Amino acid sequence: MKPATRSKKGKPGSTWWRWPVVIFVLILLSPFYYGYILNGFTGAWRWIRDIGNDPNYRAYKSYKIRIPAGYQIHGIDVSYAQGKIDWHKVRAMEDDSVRVGFAFIKATEGLMLVDSYFKRNWREAPKAGITCGAYHFFRPKKAGLWQARFFLQNVTMERGDLPAVCDIEVLDGTSPEAMRKELKAFLKHVEGKTGVKPIIYTSISFYKDYLDGYFDGYPLWIAHYYQARLKMDGSSTWRFWQHSDKARVNGINHAVDFNVFKGDSLTFQRLLVK
């Protein structure tokens, strides 16, 4: 009998054809592959969803608000109204490179009121890596100098903190002239004791009605909600913009104000207490 002839397709047991299959299967099973596909799909979906919307005012599902585009540094401001906060969860939250980097924390109001959560927030937020600043809710009927002293009795500012903030939103039945006199006394005393110009917080309407032209040189923090742009004179000294009062942030069980900083990280660092 003639010996059996072998097929010319290859030696018995050859596995050359298996390697492409194995590599293909490994790629399909790789989390990096699915991450790449998922990111591509997410980006495409965001692009489709944003068609027809203002590109300068994008929706962020995680925060449940729209956030003005073009800003690198974002933050919140809190008081007793937000309750007990898990600051590590706040810091860990991120949506498309937007995360909380700073927080303004209410400290005092008038001549007698200390925010019930101030000490805890002032202690815990920096531990999570959040840059903090303290604010005082100003009452125009009370002496500005004494309000400044009361604020500084309750707030110990350190190197790396944001400057002190004076929150002025109401006249409380006083005249604009009387309000400005007491506000000036507050600002001068705090600046003298801390060596840093305080930030003035107010609404865009209050600023235009009562403050514009009277406190030039002081950094401004302006409240102006649900807009793609802050409608302020380009020559104004605003540094912070509170653009929403209904953000949702991990670690906080209540709606919270959301802010942006005007400038890059170097400008932000220059603003801090030295």
Side-chain angles (χ1 to χ4, degrees), residues 72-146:
Q72 302 175 15
I73 302 174
H74 305 262
I76 58 176
D77 56 277
V78 300
S79 68
Y80 70 92
Q82 277 67 49
K84 188 176 181 180
I85 296 172
D86 186 329
W87 286 101
H88 288 282
K89 287 184 178 180
V90 171
R91 181 58 176 164
M93 185 177 182
E94 185 172 349
D95 185 349
D96 196 23
S97 299
V98 173
R99 62 187 307 189
V100 174
F102 67 86
F104 286 113
I105 300 170
K106 184 176 182 181
T108 52
E109 178 176 337
L111 289 175
M112 298 181 65
L113 180 62
V114 178
D115 189 275
S116 55
Y117 276 91
F118 172 67
K119 288 185 178 179
R120 183 184 188 280
N121 288 331
W122 194 243
R123 180 183 68 248
E124 298 299 322
K127 290 180 182 178
I130 295 174
T131 302
C132 295
Y135 75 88
H136 172 82
F137 191 92
F138 191 79
R139 289 295 183 182
K141 279 190 174 181
K142 309 295 183 182
L145 175 60
W146 284 101

Side-chain angles (χ1 to χ4, degrees), residues 30-43:
S30 170
F32 297 104
Y33 172 78
Y34 282 102
Y36 176 81
I37 295 298
L38 183 60
N39 286 339
F41 176 78
T42 302

